C-alpha cells in the first residue's frame, strides 16, 4: 500500500554526524552512542542513514530502501568508526571483505573485574538466546562460530580497559563474549547488568551505556585497492570514566 511505501522511504534529516572520510564510493563516519544505524520498528527517524542521506544527497547502493550501502553496523549504544558504501561496486567489494574476514576491526571496552590473563581469545559460538529472542547467547544448541581476540590495556580497581579485535562479526559479539567469561562490558543493561562500580576511593561510578567503542577500522578501498585505516578516540562519556578509574 501507499502507506507501507511511505514507511519504506528514507527521509533526509539534518543530524550532525562526524565524517572521517568520503569519496564517490564510500563514507566513513564516527557514529555517536545512542544513534541507531538505520530505520526499523520504533526508530523511523534520527538514524545514521537519515543523517547520511542529508549529507550525501544520493545513496544508491544495494541493501534495501532503508539501509542502502550498510555492510556492517554498530549497536545503538556502541560508538565509533563505521563504513557505508555509496554505490553497488563498493557495496559488493566491501561486503566480500567482511565475509572473507580481512577487515581490521578494533574496539576498546571497559569491562567489569580484572581478567586473570593479560590477553587471550574467546571462541564460543553465538546464537539467538532460547529464553529471550532479543538477546544473543553462547548457551545455544546451534550457534555460529565467533572469535574475539583481546588484550588488557590497563587494570583498575574492579574494572579493566581492554582492546578487542573481531575475527567474526556476530550480533553483540564482544558484549556476549565478555559477559560469558564473567567480565561483562560496564554499563551494558542487556548482558551482565554491571551499571555501577565502586572506585578505590569508595566513590560510586555509574555507566550510562555500554562502555564499548569501535576505535579503528581498516579495509582495502574497493576502487583504488589501497589499504585505508581510520581511527577515533573514545567519546567524552567513556574517556571521562577512564580518567575517574585512573584516579
Amino acid at each position: 500500500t501507499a502507506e507501507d511505501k511511505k514507511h519504506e522511504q528514507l527521509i533526509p534529516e539534518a543530524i550532525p554526524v562526524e565524517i572521517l572520510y568520503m569519496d564517490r564510493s564510500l563514507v566513513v563516519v564516527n557514529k555517536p552512542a545512542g544513534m541507531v544505524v538505520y530505520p526499523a520498528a520504533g526508530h523511523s527517524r534520527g538514524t545514521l542513514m537519515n543523517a547520511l542521506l542529508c549529507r550525501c544527497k544520493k545513496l544508491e547502493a544495494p541493501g534495501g530502501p532503508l539501509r542502502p550501502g550498510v555492510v556492517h553496523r554498530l549497536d545503538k549504544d556502541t560508538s565509533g568508526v563505521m563504513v557505508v558504501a555509496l554505490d553497488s561496486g563498493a557495496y559488493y567489494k566491501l561486503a566480500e571483505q567482511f565475509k572473507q574476514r580481512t577487515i581490521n576491526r578494533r574496539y576498546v571496552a571497559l569491562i567489569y573485574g580484572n581478567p586473570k590473563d593479560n590477553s587471550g581469545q574467546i571462541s564460543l559460538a553465538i546464537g539467538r538466546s532460547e529464553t529471550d529472542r532479543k538477546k544473543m547467547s553462547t548457551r545455544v544448541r546451534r550457534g555460529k562460530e565467533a572469535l574475539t581476540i583481546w588484550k588488557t590495556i590497563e587494570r583498575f580497581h574492579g574494572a579493566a580497559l581492554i582492546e578487542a579485535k573481531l575475527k567474526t562479526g556476530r550480533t553483540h559479539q564482544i558484549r556476549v563474549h565478555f559477559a560469558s567469561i564473567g567480565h561483562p562490558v560496564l554499563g551494558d543493561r542487556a548482558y551482565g547488568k554491571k551499571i555501577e562500580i565502586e572506585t578505590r576511593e569508595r566513590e560510586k561510578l555509574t555507566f550510562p551505556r555500554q562502555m564499548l567503542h569501535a576505535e579503528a577500522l581498516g579495509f582495502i578501498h574497493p576502487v583504488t585497492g589501497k589499504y585505508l585505516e581510520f581511527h577515533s578516540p573514545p567519546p567524552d562519556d567513556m574517556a571521562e570514566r577512564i580518567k575517574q578509574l585512573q584516579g
Side-chain angles (χ1 to χ4, degrees):
T1 66
E3 192 53 31
D4 286 341
K5 278 274 179 288
K6 201 174 96 187
H7 287 303
E8 282 288 286
Q9 254 180 358
L10 200 56
I11 297 147
E13 289 182 273
I15 307 162
V17 63
E18 185 188 355
I19 290 184
L20 301 175
Y21 174 86
M22 182 160 67
D23 61 23
R24 284 178 175 177
S25 314
L26 56 89
V27 56
V28 179
V29 300
N30 184 20
K31 185 187 90 66
M35 182 183 267
V36 174
V37 172
Y38 52 79
H43 298 281
S44 63
R45 297 288 186 97
T47 76
L48 177 64
M49 296 313 288
N50 297 107
L52 284 182
L53 185 57
C54 190
R55 291 291 289 271
C56 305
K57 303 304 173 226
K58 277 197 298 201
L59 296 174
E60 295 189 330
L66 297 178
R67 46 178 181 181
V70 174
V71 284
H72 72 129
R73 62 182 194 185
L74 296 175
D75 298 335
K76 179 187 174 190
D77 284 330
T78 300
S79 51
V81 189
M82 235 190 98
V83 62
V84 176
L86 295 179
D87 62 31
S88 62
Y91 178 85
Y92 291 116
K93 282 185 174 169
L94 285 170
E96 187 59 22
Q97 290 181 58
F98 276 99
K99 196 177 161 198
Q100 299 296 337
R101 301 176 187 170
T102 55
I103 300 257
N104 221 334
R105 283 182 279 182
R106 201 167 69 238
Y107 291 73
V108 284
L110 278 171
I111 58 169
Y112 174 76
N114 266 270
K116 220 171 48 243
D117 302 315
N118 283 325
S119 63
Q121 52 182 43
I122 309 167
S123 58
L124 298 163
I126 292 175
R128 204 157 282 286
S129 163
E130 285 158 21
T131 52
D132 180 348
R133 304 303 289 163
K134 284 186 182 156
K135 286 166 73 171
M136 307 305 284
S137 174
T138 55
R139 293 180 185 172
V140 285
R141 279 187 294 253
R142 279 205 304 267
K144 289 182 175 170
E145 62 152 332
L147 177 60
T148 305
I149 293 169
W150 63 273
K151 67 178 184 191
T152 305
I153 300 170
E154 201 171 343
R155 293 174 182 273
F156 312 109
H157 179 75
L161 178 65
I162 58 106
E163 176 190 291
K165 285 184 178 174
L166 284 186
K167 290 298 174 188
T168 51
R170 306 295 170 218
T171 302
H172 304 169
Q173 180 171 319
I174 291 172
R175 298 163 60 194
V176 171
H177 266 173
F178 279 95
S180 74
I181 61 164
H183 297 292
V185 174
L186 285 167
D188 192 335
R189 277 139 179 84
Y191 305 101
K193 299 188 173 51
K194 296 292 180 192
I195 302 166
E196 58 174 41
I197 59 168
E198 259 190 15
T199 64
R200 204 172 260 111
E201 285 71 41
R202 291 288 166 92
E203 281 172 24
K204 274 199 167 36
L205 194 51
T206 307
F207 302 91
R209 63 163 178 111
Q210 66 238 19
M211 294 285 110
L212 178 61
H213 174 70
E215 72 156 3
L217 181 71
F219 54 86
I220 304 286
H221 191 286
V223 177
T224 66
K226 283 199 174 110
Y227 178 74
L228 300 176
E229 193 168 293
F230 300 93
H231 299 258
S232 130
D236 294 349
D237 62 349
M238 190 167 167
E240 221 167 85
R241 280 160 183 82
I242 293 170
K243 263 205 185 97
Q244 287 167 298
L245 285 165
Q246 286 165 334

